[in-house]
Amino acid sequence: AHLLMVKGQTTESAAMYRATLAILEKVHGPEHPSIGITTGNLADTLRQSGDVMGAEKLYRRALEITTAAFGENHPEVSTSINNLANCVKDKGDLDEAELLFRRALAIQEATHGPRGGDWTTLTNNLAALLYARGDFEQAVQMFSSVLEERLATVGPNHFNTAMTTGNLAGTLREMGQFDEAERHYIVAVATFESLVGVDHPNSIYIRANRQRAIQLRGDAESEAGRAMIETMLEQFTSPPLSYPATHPWVVKLSKWVEDAPITAALLPSSDKP
């Protein structure tokens, strides 16, 4: 089921997780720790499919089960809180999401020490929230720290390293640092395509983000960048992916496609000739 989710086959993945839950509940009852873990996995699949509300309900249920089984300060609880925080952020409730991310980080630091356990995952996700708030400078600092740690621990050819590289590129893009963003985008695109293939949703999405940087530059290639984003939006909304209009990636790309043409006069002052 997890492999199907990674491949973008969310309908099939959700069906398998539901079947697994039915078996586990029959064998162990509804409050067993394995139920909490599998409920969280099903929530991951719903979130990826764009069903944010359905995912949130399952994440909260998974957190209840995990907390009851392990106690409030267990690493498994930290993971469950992080998953809920990501979903809440997708929904747009940044205040609750930040509280949840910081709570999860506090649990990790208390149990594993600084930069131990899931520090990179949680710090990456908190940085993504700061990005959503528009706090780009702090987000860049945190993404850079996470990238440094991931390069040292799992190396450059790892999915999570590519994810953080793309996140850092996107933040630099929003700050108008297009050359530096492009340098990171080239690495992120190549890594994703090597790891999961050119037609994987993550590969399509990182290419769309790179085209967004081109769109924002305000030069002769800006309209071409917008057109490429429109093509990638069609990939997300057409079979075999068929993401709904509510999917966070579809919402974001739709907004980019609808944006008015960018001109040099609209760029940050540091990027003007």
Side-chain angles (χ1 to χ4, degrees):
H2 177 73
L3 176 62
L4 290 171
M5 183 189 72
V6 170
K7 292 172 65 177
Q9 300 176 22
T10 54
T11 301
E12 296 87 345
S13 175
M16 292 190 70
Y17 277 131
R18 288 191 173 97
T20 302
L21 271 175
I23 295 170
L24 290 172
E25 288 179 356
K26 185 175 181 179
V27 173
H28 299 296
E31 305 298 325
H32 192 270
S34 64
I35 302 295
I37 293 170
T38 306
T39 298
N41 291 339
L42 175 57
D44 289 342
T45 303
L46 294 184
R47 178 178 170 235
Q48 181 167 321
S49 74
D51 184 3
V52 177
M53 300 303 292
E56 181 186 1
K57 182 178 179 181
L58 290 174
Y59 281 131
R60 292 190 186 279
R61 176 58 180 151
L63 178 57
E64 289 177 0
I65 296 171
T66 305
T67 302
F70 297 107
E72 292 187 354
N73 296 312
H74 192 278
E76 286 291 341
V77 174
S78 174
T79 299
S80 189
I81 293 170
N82 170 69
N83 293 338
L84 173 60
N86 277 319
C87 186
V88 170
K89 179 171 74 71
D90 286 349
K91 196 178 68 170
D93 190 346
L94 302 185
D95 289 339
E96 183 184 5
E98 182 171 357
L99 289 173
L100 288 167
F101 280 132
R102 294 192 184 280
R103 178 182 163 197
L105 265 172
I107 294 172
Q108 286 293 321
E109 291 178 355
T111 54
H112 294 290
R115 296 203 173 196
D118 288 336
W119 177 86
T120 54
T121 296
L122 292 168
T123 304
N124 179 84
N125 294 343
L126 179 56
L129 181 140
L130 295 172
Y131 168 94
R133 284 194 184 280
D135 188 353
F136 300 133
E137 290 188 4
Q138 189 173 357
V140 163
Q141 293 175 6
M142 297 182 79
F143 281 136
S144 297
S145 295
V146 173
L147 181 57
E148 178 184 8
E149 187 74 13
R150 284 181 165 166
L151 286 170
T153 54
V154 298
N157 297 314
H158 190 280
F159 190 91
N160 289 340
T161 305
M163 189 74 71
T164 300
T165 303
N167 289 341
L168 176 57
T171 310
L172 292 167
R173 177 196 69 204
E174 296 304 308
M175 296 173 73
Q177 299 181 26
F178 298 121
D179 290 343
E180 187 69 6
E182 174 67 3
R183 183 173 70 84
H184 288 291
Y185 273 133
I186 289 172
V187 174
V189 168
T191 306
F192 273 124
E193 291 182 349
S194 173
L195 291 173
V196 296
V198 296
D199 294 324
H200 188 275
N202 284 97
S203 296
I204 299 170
Y205 186 61
I206 192 65
R207 290 198 302 270
N209 275 268
R210 184 184 180 190
Q211 293 301 318
R212 175 60 170 175
I214 294 172
Q215 180 188 17
L216 288 174
R217 286 199 316 236
D219 58 21
E221 297 181 356
S222 291
E223 175 54 27
R226 190 206 64 79
M228 288 296 296
I229 295 170
E230 188 169 19
T231 298
M232 294 166 193
L233 176 60
E234 291 175 1
Q235 288 182 271
F236 280 130
T237 57
S238 303
L241 295 177
S242 301
Y243 284 1
T246 55
H247 191 286
W249 290 357
V250 173
V251 172
K252 181 174 287 187
L253 266 62
S254 297
K255 180 181 181 300
W256 292 349
V257 168
E258 293 169 1
D259 274 353
I262 308 296
T263 66
L266 299 178
L267 292 175
S269 58
S270 59
D271 278 271
K272 292 180 182 177

